[in-house]
Amino acid sequence: MSTHTFLSVTIHHNMSFFSFGQSAEIDVVLTDAETRKKAEHKTEDGKKDKYFLFYDGETVSGKINVTLKNPGKRLEHQGIKIEFVGQIELYYDRGNHHEFVSLVKDLARPGELTQSQTFDFEFTHVEKPYETYTGQNVKLRYFLRATVSRRLNDISKEMDIVVHTLSTYPELNSSIKMEVGIEDCLHIEFEYNKSKYHLKDVIVGKIYFLLVRIKIKHMEIDIIKRETTGTGPSVYHENDTIAKYEIMDGAPVRGESIPIRLFLAGYEMTPTMRDINKKFSVRYYLNLVLIDEEERRYFKQQEITLWRKGDVVRKSMSSQATIGAQRFEGSASSESALEKAAREDSG
Amino acid sequence: MADTIADTRRLFSKPQNLNDAYGPPSNFLEIDVSNPETVGVGRTRFTTYEIRLKTNLPIFKLKESRVRRRYSDFQWLRGELERDSKVVVPPLPGKALSRQLPFRGDDGIFDDSFIEERRAGLEQFLNKVAGHPLAQNEPPVYTRPGPAPQPKALCSANGPALLRPQTLV
């Protein structure tokens, strides 16, 4: 008899481990699943998937369906809850998740479920200060996690969402213009029409040759993404050349002006992220490279700020999403957006 | 917020002066290594090569020069450059020590095909070195008696050269 009991306990443990014959299934469904837009996002293993798109200040609401596998059998539990989490995960330190948003709603006190049940939830005007990011050494994600707590093993379900941070046209957007070179050999003046570009913008510029005493073969402009993780002595930069765009083939002479027109929409880029939660940064640089006949490279790197422009505001968009699309770059704090949203909701 | 189409019109630039457009380029630099000649007898034999330089780069005092130099002169030059400058100097064609051993079937280091190989290598070396912008500003390297100065400061960097901001003169 005791052997029989021992065996059944072991099997039960294994079943929970491998989710084999879990007593219940959880399903998370958003209220606006039909109308909410989805955004594509590349996961750590390079696969592209679509996730519901949210903006800062928007309410996250829906319901969770707890479906009992065996409708006759009761499900004992230690509580049912749902969490909204925003966290940063550094790949070299996977154990430590840095949660910058952590909200929880208790849906049911410890007890038992006699039948499948649905629980409503609402996280009102949730602050989502940063954009979802999956990089080479760091990941920032937002997700809902519904949990049915049990004695041995919890049953949980996670649903990732994607957050975009929007800005509007910056008030100040000076051009970048500089004269650089090597004494007596090469003097150029480069100009880029702006210092801040949105993700679907066009870089319009020119390279003006003042002095050319070397034999140039061609010239290109590269877009470099630099992901910086860690602080202090353990800072790590990961550089990635996102684009290489040849702008000149052949040898220029003094007085020649080479135009630049580089469409950013064709490249996979994110907005510039500076010191996110003091954990990481993602910055972009334009690298102007001249190559001479002996394959010697002459370069000038210049940082540009990338920002995400909201889509055209349509009447059907919710008021909260409208606020999201009209955020001003860097200035407005999330509190004022929340206040405004709260006022509009109650008014 | 209306969706605007980006303005992609070219930035304004000064029209180019026709003299600049159709004038001679200011980066003219031609170096030829040719006419190998073996001089001397027996053990003291050595080969010299004619180096012809034609340029309009202001850094070179003589716009045209013709000198004769031997392989060891090149080695000396390379040694000076490696010591004085911070950049990687390109390699010279080989020393060919094995060709200097006795009892060879061919002419050793005076073999025609070997001389031609060496000549080509020396020409490549000088072109890489004389054309290098940073090195051109180093003080003159060659001081041996000869009719004309060698190209100044010769170095070839395989690494990139950073363009520094220049003040307008």
Side-chain angles (χ1 to χ4, degrees), chain A residues 69-106:
Chain A
K69 284 289 187 67
N70 307 316
K73 200 160 167 227
R74 291 159 195 268
L75 177 70
E76 264 184 47
H77 65 87
Q78 259 71 51
I80 304 178
K81 67 178 182 203
I82 183 154
E83 298 166 276
F84 181 85
V85 179
Q87 73 183 28
I88 296 171
E89 193 181 303
L90 291 156
Y91 296 172
Y92 61 76
D93 188 21
R94 295 259 188 189
N96 280 325
H97 293 162
H98 305 275
E99 290 183 359
F100 55 89
V101 174
S102 181
L103 305 169
V104 66
K105 294 255 188 251
D106 286 314

Side-chain angles (χ1 to χ4, degrees), chain A residues 167-169 178-188 191-193 198 200-202 204-206 208 210-216 251-257 259 261 263 288 290 292 294-301 309-313 325-326, chain B residues 1-17 19-31 56-59 124 127-134 136-137 155-169:
Chain A
S167 308
T168 193
Y169 283 97
M178 229 183 267
E179 193 186 307
V180 294
I182 295 172
E183 194 64 42
D184 272 342
C185 293
L186 174 69
H187 288 189
I188 59 167
E191 186 180 343
Y192 306 130
N193 62 334
H198 62 81
K200 307 244 190 296
D201 217 332
V202 187
V204 174
K206 73 177 207 288
Y208 182 73
L210 294 151
L211 180 71
V212 190
R213 293 212 180 108
I214 55 169
K215 298 188 183 180
I216 296 173
V253 293
R254 174 169 62 197
E256 255 186 280
S257 196
R261 190 183 288 144
F263 290 84
L288 180 71
L290 294 98
D292 74 12
E294 296 295 339
E295 301 296 322
R296 283 179 286 250
R297 298 162 68 85
Y298 309 80
F299 68 91
K300 178 74 183 99
Q301 209 173 80
K309 188 161 75 105
D311 286 336
V312 174
V313 176
Q326 287 172 345
Chain B
M1 200 167 57
D3 216 16
T4 49
I5 300 169
D7 184 1
T8 58
R9 288 174 302 174
R10 287 192 184 182
L11 298 182
F12 171 76
S13 37
K14 268 191 313 210
Q16 192 181 24
N17 183 322
N19 285 333
D20 286 339
Y22 294 103
S26 22
N27 61 1
F28 181 67
L29 173 68
E30 250 179 37
I31 294 176
N56 66 358
L57 295 180
I59 198 88
Q124 218 181 53
N127 269 297
K128 280 200 177 149
V129 158
H132 193 277
L134 292 181
Q136 277 170 6
N137 286 312
C155 243
S156 171
N158 292 319
L162 178 62
L163 296 177
R164 284 186 198 76
Q166 300 290 302
T167 49
L168 276 167
V169 171

